[in-house]
Amino acid sequence: MDEKRYYQLAPDLTICRIVNGMWQVAGGHGYIDHKLAIEDMIRYHDAGFTSWDLADIYGPAEDFIGDFRHKLLAPRGKEELNKVQALTKWVPQPRIITRSIVDESIRRSLRRMSVSSLDLLQFHWWDYNNPYYIDALKYLSNLRDKRMIKHLGLTNFDTERMQIMVDSDIQIVSNQVQYSIIDRRPEVKMIPFCIKHNINLLAYGSICGGLMSERYLGKAHQPSTAELDTLSLRKYKKIIDVWGGWNLFQELLSTLKSIAQKYDVSIANVATRYILDKPAIAGVIIGARLGISDHINNNAQVFNFSLDKSDYDDIEVVCTKSNNLFGTIGDCGDEYR
Ligand SMILES: NC(=O)c1ccc[n+]([C@@H]2O[C@H](COP(=O)([O-])OP(=O)(O)OC[C@H]3O[C@@H](n4cnc5c(N)ncnc54)[C@H](OP(=O)(O)O)[C@@H]3O)[C@@H](O)[C@H]2O)c1
């Protein structure tokens, strides 16, 4: 196994360390053409980007996985399908959760994705004041025992609630959290906790919707709301504002560019490599605007270089001037609550 490119999330689940993110097909990221999107999925797959992150609430994402699998199966056979990992989420509205609600929701995802078992089901819960998330996790664990779900993961849970799960003997493989050079909240509590309990993290927002790239380098003025034409760009621009503002972000981009030039890679590559090398990190999810834009070749560069101590030191010089996001926003996932 090429350890730079792949990661064993569980004994029977190996993923590509750059996971293709499918929030971008859910709306708010430009018009997605179904046919072009599926063709693009095949191209990602053939380039070795075989892992997908999606959710029941990401518009047609689960159906796209189903269609993509059919498109692969017909000419190439079942063996090719075994190379695909589709990591979905269940994001229910907070309410009383019964066994049949969980059962129906998981069956719907299985149907849409055309699989007999979900590789990883990542559970999200909007409201900690509603205690039914523990019931949901117990029912999901039952479905895992029946192999309808291979592995149970989380998304956007904080350390305090994960401690409750560990104390309740609920087996969790991973948590998915926002983690980038500018948002290092996971380092305060989440990463030490995950190391202690052998839980993996999947990071998103690591290139800030594309803001951490040459496209925004040297832009003296911050982009207008109209220029920030995806939900993702708007989401992470707000994080930049809280982190330290546009001028400090420019300083960071210029530091990242110097590092990128040293290795003949891109700013996005450096930002991704930085997170991939952190402890407990299984993979970085990079959003794919299927059929619209394509960074396959560039993102493949992430596997071909390593950062050295002077690179980390240079990044740290800029980051020490930033605000403490853990103090302002809180632990992982608190931005959603
Ligand atoms: N659990 C959660 O609550 C949660 C929240 C957010 C995201 N996610 C997951 O994480 C995924 C990533 O989403 P995100 O919002 O965090 O976006 P992101 O990955 O930070 O940014 C994606 C955008 O970055 C640009 N990009 C990609 N590779 C690039 C490269 N090599 N050079 C320059 N630009 C590059 C592309 O922009 P262009 O298309 O404009 O070129 C792409 O659309 C989502 O799809 C989803 O699966 C999960």
Side-chain angles (χ1 to χ4, degrees):
M1 184 170 84
D2 173 356
E3 285 187 2
K4 252 196 156 150
R5 186 179 263 267
Y6 297 103
Y7 186 94
Q8 198 166 9
L9 203 57
D12 61 346
L13 181 58
T14 296
I15 59 164
C16 178
R17 297 201 73 201
I18 293 184
V19 180
N20 312 311
M22 295 186 80
W23 176 39
Q24 278 67 12
V25 306
H29 288 86
Y31 174 71
I32 304 292
D33 179 284
H34 187 139
K35 188 165 169 282
L36 290 181
I38 305 297
E39 284 169 11
D40 253 6
M41 290 178 82
I42 305 266
R43 292 198 313 111
Y44 275 86
H45 177 85
D46 287 340
F49 293 106
T50 54
S51 308
W52 301 87
D53 178 73
L54 56 153
D56 59 338
I57 57 162
Y58 288 179
E62 289 190 336
D63 307 304
F64 277 16
I65 289 289
D67 292 351
F68 161 64
R69 287 172 52 84
H70 285 130
K71 191 102 182 165
L72 272 187
L73 178 65
R76 306 199 201 175
K78 243 183 154 175
E79 218 164 274
E80 199 63 35
L81 287 189
N82 294 338
K83 297 179 188 164
V84 179
Q85 303 84 40
L87 322 175
T88 195
K89 307 186 190 82
W90 181 43
V91 187
Q93 285 306 315
R95 55 178 166 160
I96 294 176
I97 298 288
T98 62
R99 188 182 295 275
S100 68
I101 289 174
V102 178
D103 210 68
E104 256 172 53
S105 306
I106 299 308
R107 281 185 196 284
R108 191 181 316 118
S109 292
L110 290 171
R111 250 191 334 268
R112 292 179 73 193
M113 293 165 66
S114 191
V115 290
S116 55
S117 183
L118 299 177
D119 292 323
L120 177 71
L121 188 278
Q122 304 163 99
F123 174 61
H124 178 98
W125 192 249
W126 295 106
D127 178 11
Y128 295 141
N129 291 323
N130 178 319
Y132 283 99
Y133 68 93
I134 289 288
D135 292 36
L137 282 163
K138 286 186 176 156
Y139 295 134
L140 287 168
S141 302
N142 293 153
L143 295 186
R144 184 200 42 221
D145 297 342
K146 289 187 193 164
R147 294 299 279 170
M148 273 166 73
I149 295 169
K150 287 183 193 145
H151 300 284
L152 189 51
L154 306 167
T155 175
N156 294 315
F157 269 93
D158 66 3
T159 319
E160 188 184 332
R161 273 70 196 189
M162 285 178 71
Q163 181 68 58
I164 295 173
M165 292 171 207
V166 166
D167 293 343
S168 311
D169 241 356
I170 295 167
Q171 305 292 315
I172 297 296
V173 163
S174 60
N175 189 21
Q176 180 180 133
V177 295
Q178 186 168 301
Y179 189 18
S180 67
I181 294 175
I182 66 163
D183 183 357
R184 299 194 302 191
R185 286 175 295 148
E187 293 172 10
V188 182
K189 287 170 80 180
M190 184 58 68
I191 290 181
F193 177 86
C194 286
I195 293 170
K196 183 171 173 203
H197 296 285
N198 202 18
I199 296 174
N200 302 288
L201 289 174
L202 290 164
Y204 65 81
S206 306
I207 56 169
C208 297
L211 286 159
M212 256 189 226
S213 71
E214 280 73 6
R215 191 169 157 200
Y216 294 92
L217 174 68
K219 298 261 188 248
H221 299 292
Q222 56 181 340
S224 64
T225 315
E227 281 171 274
L228 299 170
D229 59 359
T230 67
L231 289 180
S232 183
L233 287 168
R234 274 175 244 151
K235 175 182 172 75
Y236 299 113
K237 171 61 172 52
K238 283 189 201 145
I239 298 290
I240 292 172
D241 295 342
V242 183
W243 172 76
W246 193 249
N247 289 343
L248 188 61
F249 187 65
Q250 281 302 319
E251 201 178 321
L252 177 63
L253 285 185
S254 130
T255 299
L256 296 180
K257 183 64 185 174
S258 304
I259 299 169
Q261 280 170 331
K262 197 165 126 185
Y263 302 108
D264 199 18
V265 297
S266 69
I267 290 176
N269 293 158
V270 174
T272 307
R273 187 76 257 160
Y274 179 92
I275 297 299
L276 276 181
D277 289 342
K278 292 287 185 176
I281 298 297
V284 165
I285 308 167
I286 298 186
R289 293 208 291 159
L290 297 170
I292 298 181
S293 62
D294 167 6
H295 301 278
I296 293 177
N297 291 337
N298 186 256
N299 286 333
Q301 295 303 321
V302 169
F303 304 121
N304 298 335
F305 75 105
S306 309
L307 297 171
D308 65 26
K309 183 171 180 311
S310 73
D311 303 328
Y312 285 104
D313 291 346
D314 291 348
I315 292 170
E316 205 48 39
V317 167
V318 184
C319 289
T320 46
K321 300 178 198 168
S322 69
N323 296 318
N324 172 1
L325 260 57
F326 190 92
T328 335
I329 303 175
D331 197 1
C332 298
D334 283 1
E335 63 275 30
Y336 291 100
R337 299 183 178 90

